[in-house]
Amino acid sequence: MRNTAKITTAVLAAGALTLGLSACGADSSDTDGPLIVAASPVPHAEILNFVKDNLAKKEGLDLQVKEFTDYVTPNTATQDGSVGANYFQNKPYLDDFNKKNGTDIVPVVTVHLEPLGLYSHKVKKADGATVAIPNDTVNEARALKLLAADGLITLKAGVGNEATPSDITKNPKNLKFKELEAAQTPRSLDDVDAAVVNGNYAIESDLKPSKDALVLESPKNNPYGNFLAVKKGNEDDPRVKKLAKLLTSPEVKKFIQDKYAGSVLASF
């Protein structure tokens, strides 16, 4: 069961923070000013900083990167204009966020995929294991689908991006589930038998998805690519167009390949 009060509190806190950002930050609607982009630290901010340090100046783009460690504030800041764009999320998550929060944020260009993985410090047998999974709507469903794809559980037919453990129809390994904030899942690995961890949090925690994951999402036909996003109506901002072009350049593809060695996959 999700903690609605916690989510509401997080949104209110994020709103207060973004009001502060509006008061002291640059005007993101000024197309002659810097483009401020909200991003998760890894790999999003790292990719943006590569663009900033190596490619942006040549294109006449003044790029500023603002890091956030949660999945709420980047969208609320984009919606209220505290930042001009964000880069941290996938389409199912954004669709759910827009629906629940009345926002109108849209994707611009898909850049990469971070495969979701199942990790463990101690499991040798899955029977009776306690598995930590993200508690936000889309990532929880995504985690359960990952386990189902590996045959560990069976989900109700036709279940979508709102699947919860109550939608499990077969659980032959008698797995137990602990729902945590996505950022907490890698930190839980010493307390649970296994955890399903988002790619960015895995990398931040020195896990190597391509080597350490017991089960890893397939990139084939994967709907969870991460993209640059803006408030609807800002897609034609010339700064956004420049950044979209640079984020899908051969230089960025090589940077992703060299730095992440398969733990992050370019989507272009």
Side-chain angles (χ1 to χ4, degrees), residues 69-89:
T69 57
D70 70 282
Y71 286 167
V72 174
T73 316
N75 275 337
T76 57
T78 302
Q79 182 70 22
D80 72 14
S82 301
V83 300
N86 68 55
Y87 174 34
F88 78 100
Q89 65 192 321

PDB file of all heavy atoms in Angstrom, residues 69-89:
ATOM      1  N   THR A  69      17.955  14.858  -6.478  1.00  0.00           N
ATOM      2  CA  THR A  69      18.057  13.441  -6.154  1.00  0.00           C
ATOM      3  C   THR A  69      16.693  12.772  -6.020  1.00  0.00           C
ATOM      4  O   THR A  69      16.622  11.595  -5.690  1.00  0.00           O
ATOM      5  CB  THR A  69      18.840  13.233  -4.839  1.00  0.00           C
ATOM      6  OG1 THR A  69      18.195  13.963  -3.791  1.00  0.00           O
ATOM      7  CG2 THR A  69      20.273  13.706  -4.979  1.00  0.00           C
ATOM      8  N   ASP A  70      15.614  13.513  -6.279  1.00  0.00           N
ATOM      9  CA  ASP A  70      14.285  12.917  -6.212  1.00  0.00           C
ATOM     10  C   ASP A  70      13.632  12.948  -7.589  1.00  0.00           C
ATOM     11  O   ASP A  70      14.157  13.536  -8.525  1.00  0.00           O
ATOM     12  CB  ASP A  70      13.418  13.654  -5.197  1.00  0.00           C
ATOM     13  CG  ASP A  70      13.056  15.058  -5.684  1.00  0.00           C
ATOM     14  OD1 ASP A  70      13.921  15.958  -5.586  1.00  0.00           O
ATOM     15  OD2 ASP A  70      11.936  15.259  -6.185  1.00  0.00           O
ATOM     16  N   TYR A  71      12.451  12.308  -7.693  1.00  0.00           N
ATOM     17  CA  TYR A  71      11.754  12.211  -8.971  1.00  0.00           C
ATOM     18  C   TYR A  71      10.561  13.160  -9.061  1.00  0.00           C
ATOM     19  O   TYR A  71       9.738  13.025  -9.970  1.00  0.00           O
ATOM     20  CB  TYR A  71      11.251  10.777  -9.179  1.00  0.00           C
ATOM     21  CG  TYR A  71      12.313   9.752  -9.516  1.00  0.00           C
ATOM     22  CD1 TYR A  71      12.025   8.395  -9.458  1.00  0.00           C
ATOM     23  CD2 TYR A  71      13.593  10.132  -9.900  1.00  0.00           C
ATOM     24  CE1 TYR A  71      12.967   7.442  -9.784  1.00  0.00           C
ATOM     25  CE2 TYR A  71      14.552   9.180 -10.222  1.00  0.00           C
ATOM     26  CZ  TYR A  71      14.236   7.833 -10.167  1.00  0.00           C
ATOM     27  OH  TYR A  71      15.175   6.895 -10.487  1.00  0.00           O
ATOM     28  N   VAL A  72      10.438  14.102  -8.124  1.00  0.00           N
ATOM     29  CA  VAL A  72       9.307  15.030  -8.119  1.00  0.00           C
ATOM     30  C   VAL A  72       9.741  16.438  -8.506  1.00  0.00           C
ATOM     31  O   VAL A  72       9.197  17.062  -9.424  1.00  0.00           O
ATOM     32  CB  VAL A  72       8.614  15.043  -6.740  1.00  0.00           C
ATOM     33  CG1 VAL A  72       7.528  16.114  -6.683  1.00  0.00           C
ATOM     34  CG2 VAL A  72       8.010  13.682  -6.425  1.00  0.00           C
ATOM     35  N   THR A  73      10.757  16.947  -7.812  1.00  0.00           N
ATOM     36  CA  THR A  73      11.152  18.349  -7.988  1.00  0.00           C
ATOM     37  C   THR A  73      11.546  18.717  -9.415  1.00  0.00           C
ATOM     38  O   THR A  73      11.188  19.813  -9.867  1.00  0.00           O
ATOM     39  CB  THR A  73      12.307  18.701  -7.026  1.00  0.00           C
ATOM     40  OG1 THR A  73      12.031  18.157  -5.738  1.00  0.00           O
ATOM     41  CG2 THR A  73      12.462  20.209  -6.913  1.00  0.00           C
ATOM     42  N   PRO A  74      12.236  17.865 -10.167  1.00  0.00           N
ATOM     43  CA  PRO A  74      12.562  18.271 -11.544  1.00  0.00           C
ATOM     44  C   PRO A  74      11.334  18.610 -12.382  1.00  0.00           C
ATOM     45  O   PRO A  74      11.374  19.524 -13.204  1.00  0.00           O
ATOM     46  CB  PRO A  74      13.309  17.055 -12.098  1.00  0.00           C
ATOM     47  CG  PRO A  74      13.910  16.409 -10.903  1.00  0.00           C
ATOM     48  CD  PRO A  74      12.890  16.580  -9.818  1.00  0.00           C
ATOM     49  N   ASN A  75      10.247  17.882 -12.170  1.00  0.00           N
ATOM     50  CA  ASN A  75       9.031  18.174 -12.925  1.00  0.00           C
ATOM     51  C   ASN A  75       8.303  19.416 -12.405  1.00  0.00           C
ATOM     52  O   ASN A  75       7.807  20.226 -13.190  1.00  0.00           O
ATOM     53  CB  ASN A  75       8.087  16.968 -12.903  1.00  0.00           C
ATOM     54  CG  ASN A  75       8.415  15.959 -13.986  1.00  0.00           C
ATOM     55  OD1 ASN A  75       9.022  16.285 -14.996  1.00  0.00           O
ATOM     56  ND2 ASN A  75       8.010  14.721 -13.776  1.00  0.00           N
ATOM     57  N   THR A  76       8.217  19.577 -11.095  1.00  0.00           N
ATOM     58  CA  THR A  76       7.534  20.764 -10.573  1.00  0.00           C
ATOM     59  C   THR A  76       8.317  22.025 -10.932  1.00  0.00           C
ATOM     60  O   THR A  76       7.730  23.065 -11.235  1.00  0.00           O
ATOM     61  CB  THR A  76       7.333  20.668  -9.050  1.00  0.00           C
ATOM     62  OG1 THR A  76       8.592  20.479  -8.388  1.00  0.00           O
ATOM     63  CG2 THR A  76       6.399  19.520  -8.685  1.00  0.00           C
ATOM     64  N   ALA A  77       9.641  21.929 -10.935  1.00  0.00           N
ATOM     65  CA  ALA A  77      10.468  23.082 -11.302  1.00  0.00           C
ATOM     66  C   ALA A  77      10.329  23.409 -12.785  1.00  0.00           C
ATOM     67  O   ALA A  77      10.334  24.574 -13.184  1.00  0.00           O
ATOM     68  CB  ALA A  77      11.932  22.819 -10.955  1.00  0.00           C
ATOM     69  N   THR A  78      10.184  22.385 -13.619  1.00  0.00           N
ATOM     70  CA  THR A  78       9.975  22.606 -15.051  1.00  0.00           C
ATOM     71  C   THR A  78       8.607  23.232 -15.292  1.00  0.00           C
ATOM     72  O   THR A  78       8.457  24.143 -16.110  1.00  0.00           O
ATOM     73  CB  THR A  78      10.097  21.284 -15.822  1.00  0.00           C
ATOM     74  OG1 THR A  78      11.398  20.718 -15.586  1.00  0.00           O
ATOM     75  CG2 THR A  78       9.926  21.488 -17.319  1.00  0.00           C
ATOM     76  N   GLN A  79       7.616  22.761 -14.570  1.00  0.00           N
ATOM     77  CA  GLN A  79       6.260  23.272 -14.747  1.00  0.00           C
ATOM     78  C   GLN A  79       6.152  24.747 -14.358  1.00  0.00           C
ATOM     79  O   GLN A  79       5.498  25.536 -15.047  1.00  0.00           O
ATOM     80  CB  GLN A  79       5.279  22.439 -13.912  1.00  0.00           C
ATOM     81  CG  GLN A  79       3.819  22.857 -14.048  1.00  0.00           C
ATOM     82  CD  GLN A  79       3.217  22.527 -15.408  1.00  0.00           C
ATOM     83  OE1 GLN A  79       3.715  21.651 -16.107  1.00  0.00           O
ATOM     84  NE2 GLN A  79       2.155  23.231 -15.783  1.00  0.00           N
ATOM     85  N   ASP A  80       6.814  25.139 -13.255  1.00  0.00           N
ATOM     86  CA  ASP A  80       6.661  26.532 -12.800  1.00  0.00           C
ATOM     87  C   ASP A  80       7.709  27.468 -13.397  1.00  0.00           C
ATOM     88  O   ASP A  80       7.719  28.662 -13.106  1.00  0.00           O
ATOM     89  CB  ASP A  80       6.650  26.622 -11.272  1.00  0.00           C
ATOM     90  CG  ASP A  80       8.003  26.387 -10.606  1.00  0.00           C
ATOM     91  OD1 ASP A  80       9.042  26.402 -11.303  1.00  0.00           O
ATOM     92  OD2 ASP A  80       8.039  26.193  -9.382  1.00  0.00           O
ATOM     93  N   GLY A  81       8.594  26.938 -14.251  1.00  0.00           N
ATOM     94  CA  GLY A  81       9.552  27.787 -14.941  1.00  0.00           C
ATOM     95  C   GLY A  81      10.834  28.046 -14.193  1.00  0.00           C
ATOM     96  O   GLY A  81      11.666  28.836 -14.653  1.00  0.00           O
ATOM     97  N   SER A  82      11.029  27.394 -13.052  1.00  0.00           N
ATOM     98  CA  SER A  82      12.293  27.560 -12.324  1.00  0.00           C
ATOM     99  C   SER A  82      13.463  27.029 -13.144  1.00  0.00           C
ATOM    100  O   SER A  82      14.584  27.515 -13.013  1.00  0.00           O
ATOM    101  CB  SER A  82      12.246  26.819 -10.985  1.00  0.00           C
ATOM    102  OG  SER A  82      11.199  27.287 -10.187  1.00  0.00           O
ATOM    103  N   VAL A  83      13.198  26.007 -13.952  1.00  0.00           N
ATOM    104  CA  VAL A  83      14.193  25.488 -14.889  1.00  0.00           C
ATOM    105  C   VAL A  83      13.532  25.416 -16.258  1.00  0.00           C
ATOM    106  O   VAL A  83      12.300  25.389 -16.380  1.00  0.00           O
ATOM    107  CB  VAL A  83      14.715  24.092 -14.470  1.00  0.00           C
ATOM    108  CG1 VAL A  83      15.374  24.149 -13.100  1.00  0.00           C
ATOM    109  CG2 VAL A  83      13.598  23.058 -14.487  1.00  0.00           C
ATOM    110  N   GLY A  84      14.351  25.389 -17.309  1.00  0.00           N
ATOM    111  CA  GLY A  84      13.808  25.377 -18.655  1.00  0.00           C
ATOM    112  C   GLY A  84      13.518  24.001 -19.201  1.00  0.00           C
ATOM    113  O   GLY A  84      12.782  23.858 -20.176  1.00  0.00           O
ATOM    114  N   ALA A  85      14.101  22.972 -18.578  1.00  0.00           N
ATOM    115  CA  ALA A  85      13.919  21.601 -19.063  1.00  0.00           C
ATOM    116  C   ALA A  85      14.360  20.647 -17.967  1.00  0.00           C
ATOM    117  O   ALA A  85      14.948  21.062 -16.960  1.00  0.00           O
ATOM    118  CB  ALA A  85      14.747  21.372 -20.337  1.00  0.00           C
ATOM    119  N   ASN A  86      14.064  19.367 -18.164  1.00  0.00           N
ATOM    120  CA  ASN A  86      14.618  18.361 -17.254  1.00  0.00           C
ATOM    121  C   ASN A  86      15.008  17.117 -18.041  1.00  0.00           C
ATOM    122  O   ASN A  86      14.572  16.908 -19.177  1.00  0.00           O
ATOM    123  CB  ASN A  86      13.669  18.043 -16.095  1.00  0.00           C
ATOM    124  CG  ASN A  86      12.392  17.316 -16.509  1.00  0.00           C
ATOM    125  OD1 ASN A  86      12.423  16.265 -17.143  1.00  0.00           O
ATOM    126  ND2 ASN A  86      11.247  17.898 -16.140  1.00  0.00           N
ATOM    127  N   TYR A  87      15.828  16.313 -17.404  1.00  0.00           N
ATOM    128  CA  TYR A  87      16.354  15.100 -18.032  1.00  0.00           C
ATOM    129  C   TYR A  87      16.562  14.090 -16.922  1.00  0.00           C
ATOM    130  O   TYR A  87      17.534  14.176 -16.178  1.00  0.00           O
ATOM    131  CB  TYR A  87      17.657  15.442 -18.754  1.00  0.00           C
ATOM    132  CG  TYR A  87      18.433  14.290 -19.362  1.00  0.00           C
ATOM    133  CD1 TYR A  87      17.810  13.171 -19.904  1.00  0.00           C
ATOM    134  CD2 TYR A  87      19.828  14.339 -19.419  1.00  0.00           C
ATOM    135  CE1 TYR A  87      18.533  12.140 -20.458  1.00  0.00           C
ATOM    136  CE2 TYR A  87      20.572  13.318 -19.978  1.00  0.00           C
ATOM    137  CZ  TYR A  87      19.916  12.216 -20.510  1.00  0.00           C
ATOM    138  OH  TYR A  87      20.644  11.191 -21.053  1.00  0.00           O
ATOM    139  N   PHE A  88      15.569  13.175 -16.760  1.00  0.00           N
ATOM    140  CA  PHE A  88      15.695  12.184 -15.691  1.00  0.00           C
ATOM    141  C   PHE A  88      14.698  11.043 -15.796  1.00  0.00           C
ATOM    142  O   PHE A  88      14.829  10.050 -15.090  1.00  0.00           O
ATOM    143  CB  PHE A  88      15.508  12.844 -14.311  1.00  0.00           C
ATOM    144  CG  PHE A  88      14.072  13.136 -13.948  1.00  0.00           C
ATOM    145  CD1 PHE A  88      13.364  12.303 -13.096  1.00  0.00           C
ATOM    146  CD2 PHE A  88      13.424  14.237 -14.473  1.00  0.00           C
ATOM    147  CE1 PHE A  88      12.041  12.563 -12.780  1.00  0.00           C
ATOM    148  CE2 PHE A  88      12.113  14.517 -14.165  1.00  0.00           C
ATOM    149  CZ  PHE A  88      11.408  13.676 -13.309  1.00  0.00           C
ATOM    150  N   GLN A  89      13.678  11.132 -16.666  1.00  0.00           N
ATOM    151  CA  GLN A  89      12.524  10.250 -16.553  1.00  0.00           C
ATOM    152  C   GLN A  89      12.177   9.543 -17.856  1.00  0.00           C
ATOM    153  O   GLN A  89      12.710   9.862 -18.915  1.00  0.00           O
ATOM    154  CB  GLN A  89      11.326  11.072 -16.093  1.00  0.00           C
ATOM    155  CG  GLN A  89      10.875  12.126 -17.096  1.00  0.00           C
ATOM    156  CD  GLN A  89       9.897  13.123 -16.526  1.00  0.00           C
ATOM    157  OE1 GLN A  89       9.016  12.767 -15.739  1.00  0.00           O
ATOM    158  NE2 GLN A  89      10.042  14.389 -16.885  1.00  0.00           N
TER     159      GLN A  89
END
